[in-house]
Amino acid sequence: MNQYDYLVVGSGLYGAVFAHEAKKVGKSVLVIDKRPNIAGNVYTETVEGIHVHKYGAHIFHTNNTEVWNYITQFATFNRFTNSPIANYHGELFSLPFNMYTFNKMWGVVTPEEAATKIAEQRKEITGEPQNLEEQAISLVGRDIYEKLIKGYTEKQWGRDCKDLPAFIIKRLPVRLTFDNNYFNALYQGIPVGGYTQMVTNMLEGIEVRLNTDYLKHKAELDALAEKVIYTGPIDAYFDFKLGTLEYRSVRFETELLDIPNFQGNAAVNYTDRETPWTRIIEHKWFEFGKDADGNDLPKTVISKEYSSEWKPGDEPYYPVNDEKNSKLYAQYKALAEKESKVIFGGRLGEYKYYDMDAVIASALELCKKEL
Ligand code: FAD
Ligand code: UDP
């Protein structure tokens, strides 16, 4: 007799949504995670009153009202709007690409002047863009590509822009208005109290075992439950037997500084090729520099992000959805479909570049089918 209806491997958003919904309909659930903490990549840790985004800065944004209504059951969100700054050799630009950016880049003042400038520069691309470089030039022209895109992208992905798929850059808005909200989203914010508190609320009343690696104790853990929801890397599940899927990893260098304000903004992207980090996050500005009681925080925590190629043992962060990896993933997916007891989900289980809202939507889809 199995002790649990479901064993959920991974306490990230995908696992937490599924576990919450399963419990709600009366199923017994055990959640495990190999890390010493819950919440997967959205985990926040409190340092000097600041919620530090330990596995990378996370800004919640969505156009999906169902997802927004769902997630706001577990937290109140503040009004944070992401407006990163680009630093190119000390020259500062507003992101995403908007009238402030075009004014600084070219001195243009009206939307018409900006549109004319972009139209002139995009002429060099004829036909459908075949790669990220062509896509970027066709969106915003060569000057912006050279100063704000090329260096950042090549640091982030460790590949030449000519060898990267065009879709990566299509995420970035281009606007002929003075709107520097990074996301085209109806809803946006940061959960008050931090993401860890939000996931704690999702997992309320559910048994969680941390520091437990499913793959190291697979047989005994499988024996505990009727079914398994697996949100770890799909290739690791199959012991990499068809080869290793590639990821980009990120190394965070985090420092506590005894000053109240380091850079005046949550995110500054270093878009030149020479600065070794891709960006610096100053965590307190996600919550306007205040503690839970509304007092100004005297210190600050910053994280420099260095992008790197993933190797076994590192945290896999970004799936590399190029042709080679997509083919290999398709082969693993075929194997996964034969595992009748195990459902693969989430960013790593599906090897998919999911944002938080998409991962929640995908978990809710599974709940509809499964529960
Ligand atoms: P994860 O959060 O990765 O959870 C998987 C969990 O499974 C982990 O806790 C892991 O420890 C555990 N696990 C893996 N293998 C095992 C095993 N063998 N045994 C036990 N446990 C295991 N999205 C946004 O919407 N906005 C953002 O601003 C944003 N910023 C991001 C920044 C970075 C640097 C990264 C990498 C991602 C960002 N995302 C952002 C995406 C977001 O992190 C994901 O959509 C979301 O966290 C995915 O949730 P998940 O549950 O699928 O995976
Ligand atoms: N990008 C860029 N310059 C920037 C910010 C982003 O060229 O200052 C490019 C880069 O290729 C990146 C892509 O736009 O991979 C998408 O950026 P986004 O910030 O959406 O990526 P995320 O880190 O959220 O995955």
Side-chain angles (χ1 to χ4, degrees):
M1 185 58 191
N2 294 315
Q3 222 174 312
Y4 301 94
D5 295 314
Y6 291 102
L7 169 71
V8 175
V9 180
S11 62
L13 282 176
Y14 192 96
V17 168
F18 184 84
H20 181 86
E21 293 305 301
K23 175 173 181 276
K24 205 161 93 185
V25 297
K27 304 289 183 189
S28 52
V29 187
L30 171 64
V31 175
I32 61 168
D33 205 297
K34 65 177 182 184
R35 290 186 185 163
N37 54 264
I38 60 162
N41 283 349
V42 306
Y43 174 68
T44 45
E45 163 176 273
T46 310
V47 178
E48 299 278 340
I50 301 162
H51 296 123
V52 176
H53 297 218
K54 187 154 178 210
Y55 299 97
H58 280 77
I59 300 136
F60 193 89
H61 55 93
T62 190
N63 283 308
N64 184 328
T65 302
E66 189 192 343
V67 166
W68 180 249
N69 290 340
Y70 184 80
I71 201 67
T72 49
Q73 296 174 76
F74 306 106
T76 302
F77 282 69
N78 72 13
R79 58 160 186 85
F80 179 81
T81 300
N82 192 27
S83 302
I85 302 293
N87 180 327
Y88 178 79
H89 292 304
E91 252 186 293
L92 301 183
F93 293 91
S94 170
L95 290 175
F97 311 123
N98 69 86
M99 284 303 296
Y100 290 113
T101 329
F102 306 139
N103 173 262
K104 181 86 187 255
M105 187 70 69
W106 297 312
V108 294
V109 172
T110 66
E112 199 183 338
E113 287 166 0
T116 305
K117 197 81 194 172
I118 293 172
E120 255 167 43
Q121 294 206 354
R122 72 154 59 112
K123 272 195 205 130
E124 68 171 284
I125 305 299
T126 49
E128 190 59 28
Q130 295 304 310
N131 54 49
L132 196 149
E133 175 172 306
E134 293 182 7
Q135 180 69 65
I137 295 172
S138 122
L139 280 175
V140 284
R142 181 164 285 276
D143 289 343
I144 291 185
Y145 168 68
E146 297 283 349
K147 282 193 171 176
L148 303 183
I149 298 176
K150 190 174 191 299
Y152 185 91
T153 300
E154 295 191 352
K155 283 191 285 188
Q156 169 149 359
W157 296 97
R159 287 162 179 73
D160 197 284
C161 285
K162 290 195 187 70
D163 299 329
L164 284 164
F167 79 87
I168 293 179
I169 202 75
K170 281 197 192 155
R171 287 160 59 101
L172 292 189
V174 178
R175 300 196 189 106
L176 294 173
T177 58
F178 291 91
D179 175 4
N180 60 359
N181 175 1
Y182 198 64
F183 299 115
N184 280 320
L186 200 52
Y187 311 103
Q188 182 172 181
I190 302 285
V192 174
Y195 286 94
T196 305
Q197 185 55 51
M198 180 180 90
V199 177
T200 303
N201 296 344
M202 297 170 87
L203 294 174
E204 197 188 314
I206 295 167
E207 187 182 341
V208 180
R209 290 187 202 163
L210 298 175
N211 301 304
T212 306
D213 188 333
Y214 172 68
L215 298 175
K216 285 197 182 131
H217 307 277
K218 188 170 181 310
E220 60 201 89
L221 288 164
D222 279 344
L224 294 178
E226 194 80 33
K227 264 187 145 175
V228 177
I229 310 294
Y230 176 81
T231 74
I234 187 167
D235 54 349
Y237 179 93
F238 293 105
D239 202 17
F240 307 101
K241 67 179 173 193
L242 303 175
T244 316
L245 287 166
E246 291 173 297
Y247 296 90
R248 289 298 291 168
S249 197
V250 191
R251 186 167 60 79
F252 301 102
E253 232 174 62
T254 298
E255 293 166 69
L256 171 65
L257 305 178
D258 202 2
I259 53 169
N261 190 355
F262 173 75
Q263 63 184 19
N265 202 39
V268 177
N269 293 0
Y270 286 76
T271 56
D272 62 86
R273 195 72 189 80
E274 290 69 31
T275 306
W277 52 82
T278 47
R279 59 182 185 177
I280 300 182
I281 298 298
E282 188 170 9
H283 300 264
K284 70 193 299 186
W285 301 123
F286 288 121
E287 299 174 62
F288 316 115
K290 309 272 186 200
D291 69 11
D293 302 319
N295 301 314
D296 286 332
L297 290 155
K299 296 186 183 174
T300 196
V301 176
I302 62 164
S303 297
K304 290 184 178 136
E305 294 188 11
Y306 299 82
S307 189
S308 62
E309 199 62 36
W310 174 87
K311 46 183 190 340
D314 291 350
E315 285 294 343
Y317 281 112
Y318 297 99
V320 181
N321 291 113
D322 61 7
E323 209 179 316
K324 178 177 120 196
N325 286 289
S326 301
K327 266 194 195 148
L328 182 56
Y329 169 68
Q331 291 175 296
Y332 274 120
K333 187 165 184 272
L335 285 183
E337 276 155 11
K338 293 190 193 128
E339 298 281 301
S340 57
K341 194 181 153 150
V342 185
I343 295 170
F344 293 74
R347 210 178 223 222
L348 304 172
E350 296 173 65
Y351 195 64
K352 209 164 168 184
Y353 198 114
Y354 274 135
D355 274 332
M356 289 183 273
D357 62 331
V359 109
I360 292 168
S362 163
L364 288 173
E365 260 325 289
L366 173 67
C367 295
K368 281 183 200 144
K369 277 191 271 168
E370 178 70 19
L371 298 172

